[in-house]
Amino acid sequence: MSGKLRLGVNIDHVATVRNARGGARPDPVRAALLAIEAGADGITAHLREDRRHIRDDDMRRIKAAISKPLNFEMAATEQMLDIALSVAPHAACLVPEKRTERTTEGGLDVVGGHNHLKPFIAELSRGGIRVSLFIEPDREAIESAASLRAPVVELHTGAWCHAVELGQTEKAASEFERLRAGAAHAARLGIECHAGHGLDFDTARRISGLPEIAELNIGHFLIGEAIFVGLAESIRTMRKAMDEGRRTVQGA
Ligand code: PXP
């Protein structure tokens, strides 16, 4: 299971910059089109309850403009469900959301939230939307995702990336081992495995060496790097890093 690894480019922070001044620029739709031209296999955007970056109209415009899959990140709320069903993206990634957090800080509580999540997964699936659950790379969470019949899980790479950034070697090694074991377990249960959060060129290259992972979703680093080298170059370099990482997998 080590085919081509897909890159989903998260364009939330293009909207963050736009919203800092109001007005229409920079336009996340333009970023989505450019990202696809540069090699993105899909576009990811998170419509948060507080609309701090992507707004309802952005989601509709992105969906209408792009030729590649749209991955709609959302909290499991009735309001988001209605919007997702009307936008009809290719995929929806259910994420936990807290108003006070700066970014999505941990995985979904799929064990405690099992009964709450179940109808959302069922409704989205009925609407023809492929559901993924953003979870910690833990055995219990993966098994709960399987029992919820989620076809995809996205493993939260934040703790690993943070440890790498801080130079915490032992912690980084144990977090990477959690991701490796989690990806292998998801594959054993027949769940497609994605990963994301906090990835940069180096960590994306390394995680691309896990053959069960089919897609990486990357945003903040790519948009930040774009300030220096442009969005297209930032994405092309990421694609190269991922391809290098994947080539380390035997038989890839
Ligand atoms: N995947 C999910 C589910 C996310 O919530 C986010 C952040 O919005 C990402 C991937 C991308 O994380 P980052 O912006 O740190 O690359």
Side-chain angles (χ1 to χ4, degrees), residues 10 12 46 73 93 95 103-104 134 154 196-198 217-220:
N10 179 315
D12 290 350
H46 183 179
E73 282 183 18
C93 180
V95 302
T103 180
T104 313
F134 189 42
E154 179 166 329
H197 209 282
N217 283 300
I218 311 178
H220 185 265

Side-chain angles (χ1 to χ4, degrees), residues 18 42 53 100 108 216:
R18 176 196 61 192
H53 36 59
T100 50
L108 267 179
L216 298 181

Side-chain angles (χ1 to χ4, degrees), residues 14-76:
V14 176
T16 305
V17 175
R18 176 196 61 192
N19 298 354
R21 278 292 175 95
R25 287 182 298 201
D27 184 1
V29 175
R30 184 174 171 196
L33 293 170
L34 187 60
I36 289 170
E37 216 179 286
D41 300 293
I43 297 298
T44 293
H46 183 179
L47 186 65
R48 292 186 81 102
E49 190 193 357
D50 62 9
R51 311 300 199 266
R52 69 175 72 157
H53 36 59
I54 293 293
R55 297 174 179 149
D56 304 45
D57 183 49
D58 293 328
M59 268 306 182
R60 292 181 210 288
R61 291 189 309 118
I62 295 164
K63 171 69 182 14
I66 66 173
S67 54
K68 294 266 167 114
L70 170 63
N71 177 29
F72 186 136
E73 282 183 18
M74 56 181 269

